[in-house]
Amino acid sequence: MCGRFALTDTPDAVQSLLAVTDFEPFPPRYNIAPTQPVLMALSGPSRGAGANLPSRQSVLVRWGLIPSWAKNPDDFSLLFNARSETAAEKASFRTAMRHRRTLVPANGFYEWRRVGSKRAEPYWVRPRDGGLIAFAGLMESWSDPGGTEIDTGAILTTEANEDLRGIHHRMPVIIRPEDFDRWLDCLNQEPRHVADLLKPADPGFFEAVPVSDRVNKVANAGPGLQERVERHDEKASGTKSANDTDQLDLF
């Protein structure tokens, strides 16, 4: 799953990856948590012949999707993740999966490993070769009774790959740059047409770095959160413990 992530690259790097230009410069963010604003990219408006409009647009959304039909958000759990295997059928995500698929830029995410009764141990999970990645996301707009509209979103998850399943059994879906157009094309590509993209990252793509539990507190930030710490047991592969419990797992 994905309950915390980081976006620490420059706005220029994000622009280069996502081919969007319509966002304000932003500082590095080392500990992004649910309910905070996150940057997403989605397909831009339809372009007429000769139009000089970008094919993608960016939007800041509240991380925690609220279905458009919800009358009271307090009646829902915080939907910051969506299981990719069932999102196309679930009432909360079905419309967004069909009409508002997005990309969420990130440099990696945090995950917690719990063994038995021990306190959960955090890991910083990053691409082994560094750089930016894009999570598969969903966006939904919700209007309160007064007519104020809020853009909200969730990150899609899938089964963890063999490198990470010893930490947690879920991981965010990563969309490769060569698949961006197909994933975002909600006009021509139905959910069934992009289901093949909703899979674990290739083995060896990520590395998991044990980090301090300072990341547990949302108020803590800065590059020190991603510094390696030494542990007696740093084994991060193999079968998930039968006594494991899921940090922030809603599904």
Side-chain angles (χ1 to χ4, degrees):
M1 63 169 302
C2 182
R4 299 281 178 84
F5 71 97
L7 177 58
T8 59
D9 240 314
T10 66
D12 285 346
V14 174
Q15 175 184 330
S16 178
L17 176 71
L18 300 181
V20 293
T21 59
D22 56 339
F23 57 81
E24 296 294 326
F26 53 84
R29 300 177 66 192
Y30 290 90
N31 197 5
I32 302 172
T35 74
Q36 293 182 350
V38 299
L39 180 67
M40 290 188 171
L42 65 161
S43 287
S46 299
R47 296 177 295 172
N52 189 25
L53 296 174
S55 61
R56 299 172 192 160
Q57 65 186 54
S58 66
V59 62
L60 277 178
V61 310
R62 171 191 180 267
W63 188 15
L65 188 143
I66 305 173
S68 60
W69 44 262
K71 297 188 182 302
N72 184 1
D74 294 336
D75 294 337
F76 289 84
S77 298
L78 188 58
L79 304 177
F80 55 88
N81 283 167
R83 293 181 69 97
S84 62
E85 298 90 339
T86 58
E89 289 79 42
K90 290 286 187 180
S92 295
F93 306 115
R94 182 169 55 231
T95 301
M97 189 70 181
R98 178 64 185 88
H99 298 289
R100 285 174 290 280
R101 298 191 297 267
T102 71
L103 298 168
V104 185
N107 288 93
F109 62 99
Y110 299 96
E111 194 52 84
W112 283 258
R113 174 178 179 248
R114 189 189 302 276
V115 179
S117 60
K118 292 175 60 178
R119 185 173 182 175
E121 298 173 335
Y123 287 81
W124 165 235
V125 182
R126 64 189 181 191
R128 194 172 297 275
D129 296 330
L132 276 166
I133 53 176
F135 301 143
L138 301 174
M139 193 191 91
E140 190 65 273
S141 295
W142 178 80
S143 297
D144 67 19
T148 301
E149 189 172 90
I150 304 171
D151 291 327
T152 69
I155 292 172
L156 286 157
T157 67
T158 186
E159 293 183 355
N161 65 12
E162 62 185 56
D163 299 322
L164 301 181
R165 67 172 60 108
I167 299 175
H168 198 278
H169 66 293
R170 305 290 295 179
M171 68 182 299
V173 173
I174 311 300
I175 303 296
R176 299 174 300 183
E178 58 266 34
D179 296 319
F180 284 0
D181 285 340
R182 186 156 67 97
W183 171 250
L184 295 177
D185 184 4
C186 296
L187 289 177
N188 302 300
Q189 303 289 329
E190 297 181 11
R192 60 191 175 92
H193 297 142
V194 295
D196 61 298
L197 303 180
L198 304 176
K199 60 185 179 181
D202 292 337
F205 181 82
F206 282 117
E207 63 176 345
V209 179
V211 295
S212 164
D213 61 6
R214 291 184 62 248
V215 71
N216 295 358
K217 294 185 178 180
V218 176
N220 291 334
L225 295 183
Q226 297 171 1
E227 293 179 356
R228 180 184 295 273
V229 300
E230 296 300 325
R231 297 194 183 121
H232 294 300
D233 178 12
E234 293 187 6
K235 184 178 181 182
S237 61
T239 305
K240 188 183 179 189
S241 167
N243 294 322
D244 202 353
T245 56
D246 298 329
Q247 175 99 357
L248 300 175
D249 199 352
L250 300 179
F251 305 99

